[in-house]
Amino acid sequence: MNLSFQKLFYALATVFALFAILILARPILIPLGFAMIMSFILLPLSRKYESWGMKKIFAAFLSILTVVLILGGGIYLFSTQIIELSKELSDFQDRIVRAFADITVYLNKNVNIIPNLEKDELSDKIKDWLNKSTGSLVSKTFTTTATFLAGLIATIIFTFLFLIYRHGLIKAFLAFSPIDKRERVMKMFRSIQQVGQKYLSGMLLLIIIIGLANSFGLWIIGIDNPFLFGFLGAVLSIIPYVGTALGAIIPIMYAFVSFDSLWPVIAVAILFWAIQMISDNFLSPKIVGGSLNINALVAILSLIIGGLVWGVAGMILFLPFAAMLRVICEEYDELKPIALLIGDQNYKDKNSSDNFMTRRFAKIKAWFSKYRSGSKKKPGNKQPGKSVK
C-alpha cells in the first residue's frame, strides 16, 4: 500500500482551513446553523400554511411568529418565578458565601493551610472580591446579552429567508451535480432535512417530558420554584453528556443553602440522576437516538470540538451536523469510510449495555406471560382423584 504525502498534505490543509473558517466566521455561521435547523422543523408548518392558499412570505412569517409566541408564552409563565428568584438573589449570594466560608474554615482547621483563619474575615474578603468584580461582570453581561440578541435577530432573518427561498437554493445546489445524479442528490437533501427535523422535534418533546418530571420531583422534595429549576435543567440537557449535570448543580446549590439538612440536597441529586438514567436508556434512544445514528465516540468528539470552536452553540449544533455529514458521506463512494466511522451500525453488539435494560424487561414480561398462561385451567380438564358432581 502506497502512501501519498501530497494527498495527505492536501487533506490536512483542508481540515486546518475548515477549522480556520469556522473560527473566524462564527459570528455569521452560528446564526446560519441555527437558522438551518429551525427552517427544517418549520418547513412542514410553512407548507401547511401554503396549502391553505397563503403566499410563501406570509406562510414563513406566520411559522416564525408561531414559534415566537410559544417561546414568549413559556417565558411569560416562568416570569413570575424568575422575578421572585431575582428578589432572593442577594440572600442566595449571602448564603453561598457563608456556606463556602464554613467549608473553607473547616478544611483549614483539619489541614492548617492558612494560620489564624476566621470565618468573618473570610466572608468579608469574599464579599469585597464580589463587589469589585461586579462592574466587570455587568459589562460582560451587557456584551453577552447584546451579542445574543444580535445573533437571535440574525437567526430569525436567516430562517425567514431559508423558508421563502428554499426552492431556489435547492435548484442552485442541484445545478452542481450531473443531470443523471440529481434525483439521488435530491433524496440526500430530503434525508438531511429529515435528520435535522427529527432531531430538533425529538429534543423539544424530550425537554417537555424531562422538564415535567424534574418539576414534579422538585415540588415533592419541597424546593421553591420547582418548575423554573426543572425546565432549566431540561433545557440544559440539550447539551449532550454535561448539560444534565449543569442543570442539576443549580437546584442542588439552592437546596444546600435553603435547608439545614443534607437530605434535600441528596434527594435532588438522586432525582436528577434517576431521570437522567431513564432518559438515556429509554426516552432518548426512542425519541432522539433513532434520528442521529452516530456512535458515542463521534458524539463526544462533536461535543468537545463544537465547544472549542463555537462554545455552547457548537455543543448544541455539532451533534446534528455530524449526523448530516454521515448522510452526505453515505452518498459518495469516496466518503463512505467516513460514514462508517461516524455511524453506529458497525459498533452495535447484541450484548451491548445499551439494550440491557430493554432485554431484561422483555425477559421478565415473557416469564410473567408464561406463568399466567400456565396457571390458567383449561375448561373440561379434570384433576386426578376428584370426581365431578
Side-chain angles (χ1 to χ4, degrees), residues 119-164:
K119 175 183 175 181
D120 296 335
E121 181 182 358
L122 180 61
S123 300
D124 293 337
K125 289 182 179 180
I126 295 174
K127 291 179 180 179
D128 291 339
W129 177 78
L130 289 175
N131 292 329
K132 290 179 181 179
S133 59
T134 301
S136 60
L137 181 62
V138 170
S139 62
K140 289 181 180 179
T141 303
F142 178 78
T143 304
T144 304
T145 304
T147 305
F148 173 77
L149 291 177
L152 181 61
I153 294 173
T155 301
I156 294 174
I157 294 173
F158 289 146
T159 304
F160 178 76
L161 295 177
F162 281 155
L163 290 175
I164 63 175

Side-chain angles (χ1 to χ4, degrees), residues 172-183 185-186 189 332:
F173 283 113
L174 287 177
F176 287 100
S177 59
I179 298 178
D180 57 337
K181 300 290 183 64
R182 290 183 180 179
E183 184 177 354
V185 175
M186 189 65 188
F189 286 157
Y332 298 92

Side-chain angles (χ1 to χ4, degrees), residues 92-102 119 122-124 126-127 130 257:
F92 182 71
Q93 176 180 327
D94 294 337
R95 293 178 182 177
I96 289 290
V97 170
R98 289 197 300 269
F100 180 77
D102 290 336
K119 175 183 175 181
L122 180 61
S123 300
D124 293 337
I126 295 174
K127 291 179 180 179
L130 289 175
V257 300

Side-chain angles (χ1 to χ4, degrees), residues 18-66:
L18 180 61
F19 274 99
I21 293 173
L22 290 175
I23 294 173
L24 295 176
R26 63 181 181 180
I28 188 69
L29 291 179
I30 291 177
L32 279 174
F34 278 110
M36 184 177 66
I37 299 294
M38 288 298 300
S39 62
F40 286 162
I41 194 172
L42 291 179
L43 181 58
L45 183 60
S46 180
R47 286 176 176 172
K48 188 67 175 178
Y49 287 141
E50 291 175 11
S51 66
W52 293 346
M54 294 184 183
K55 294 184 178 180
K56 290 183 180 180
I57 295 178
F58 293 107
F61 175 77
L62 286 179
S63 301
I64 296 175
L65 182 62
T66 303

Side-chain angles (χ1 to χ4, degrees), residues 6-22:
Q6 184 179 8
K7 292 182 179 179
L8 180 61
F9 172 77
Y10 287 150
L12 292 176
T14 302
V15 172
F16 279 111
L18 180 61
F19 274 99
I21 293 173
L22 290 175

Side-chain angles (χ1 to χ4, degrees), residues 344-360 363:
D344 61 347
Q345 63 272 15
N346 292 333
Y347 306 94
K348 289 182 178 180
D349 187 6
K350 294 181 180 180
N351 298 322
S352 62
S353 59
D354 295 337
N355 298 323
F356 174 77
M357 296 298 292
T358 304
R359 290 186 286 108
R360 182 61 59 187
K363 288 183 178 180

